[in-house]
């Protein structure tokens, strides 16, 4: 549960709220990745995969970079973060993984809309790689 | 931070993970609502509003109902929930607010893509009402 419920319309989040909101975005994407995986491993529901892919693409394109503001590089009280310091200094590297991620998410959404399962599998693999590429460099285990 | 990081691809979430994931979805929508509001109150950036609206619509259409499974009606250890028991019994009422919400979110995304600020303001107002309608009936204060 996040503390800024009362100020749901405030655009400027406190550092601890930025950390919680980026974690919320990643967690929600992760749930949707799991749904796509389950569809590929079992009975394939094109509408469910398309919906999951659209949720991921919507989040990927929402400008999550704004949730890495000053003061969000360290734990703030109970609000823990796993971000590595490199994310705040390696601008070029971050730009590369971020662009690759957004492209993979958009490709996934487009492919899911068409519905060919083999192509979806390939797009899903690429998207998963793009998550991992960022985690490897910028997220603590 | 959510505990199921290690099992990012598992589709079947434990009850406590379902609670955390639905809260994550709402929190992430809330951040995007705040961005749209800030745009309407200040300088209007059509791309930013469109991206925020797409994130909200993507989440709204992702089937969050699946995150209200058995055992998710009460706190589970440290994982607190504000859901009211009525959400699990009033199927018809929940269906109504859920459909209204999804329609308002889709309308918001379509309107944001066109970019007329007055229409976006109206669509945003309707969308906010659809959040509140659900909270009033099914969320504790």
């Amino acid at each position: 549960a996040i503390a800024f419920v009362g100020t749901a319309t405030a655009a400027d989040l406190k550092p601890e709220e930025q950390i919680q909101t980026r974690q919320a975005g990643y967690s929600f994407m992760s749930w949707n990745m799991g749904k796509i995986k389950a569809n590929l491993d079992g009975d394939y529901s094109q509408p469910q995969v398309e919906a999951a892919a659209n949720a991921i693409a919507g989040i990927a394109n929402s400008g999550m970079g704004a949730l890495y503001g000053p003061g969000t590089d360290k734990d703030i009280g109970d609000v823990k973060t796993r971000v590595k310091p490199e994310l705040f200094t390696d601008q070029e590297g971050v730009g590369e993984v971020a662009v690759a991620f957004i492209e993979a998410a958009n490709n996934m959404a487009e492919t899911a809309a068409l519905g060919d399962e083999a192509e979806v599998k390939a797009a899903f693999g690429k998207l998963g790689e793009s998550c991992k590429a960022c985690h490897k460099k910028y997220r603590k285990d």
Side-chain angles (χ1 to χ4, degrees), chain A:
Chain A
I2 295 188
F4 63 91
V5 174
T7 56
T9 46
D12 291 323
L13 302 185
K14 285 185 270 178
E16 54 270 40
E17 295 168 343
Q18 292 177 36
I19 293 173
Q20 290 172 312
T21 303
R22 70 198 186 203
Q23 293 175 341
Y26 294 129
S27 298
F28 205 79
M29 286 198 289
S30 180
W31 175 54
N32 282 285
M33 291 294 280
K35 285 189 289 180
I36 297 172
K37 174 122 185 12
N39 271 278
L40 288 167
D41 288 347
D43 282 340
Y44 192 78
S45 158
Q46 189 275 332
Q48 194 181 57
V49 171
E50 183 175 358
N54 284 339
I56 294 167
I59 293 170
N61 285 285
S62 69
M64 290 186 71
L67 299 170
Y68 290 90
T72 69
D73 55 331
K74 292 202 180 66
D75 296 349
I76 303 174
D78 282 348
V79 178
K80 311 286 179 201
T81 175
R82 290 161 73 202
V83 73
K84 281 191 190 166
E86 286 80 355
L87 188 139
F88 298 88
T89 51
D90 179 16
Q91 236 179 317
E92 203 185 318
V94 171
E96 277 168 21
V97 295
V99 166
F101 163 58
I102 290 171
E103 283 176 0
N106 290 343
N107 176 53
M108 175 76 224
E110 284 157 25
T111 310
L114 299 173
D116 181 276
E117 206 178 323
E119 284 179 32
V120 165
K121 203 183 184 104
F124 178 74
K126 266 201 222 164
L127 177 54
E129 287 309 314
S130 81
C131 311
K132 272 184 217 143
C134 187
H135 294 161
K136 212 175 147 184
K137 287 179 84 170
Y138 305 113
R139 192 182 76 176
K140 292 176 204 156
D141 295 323

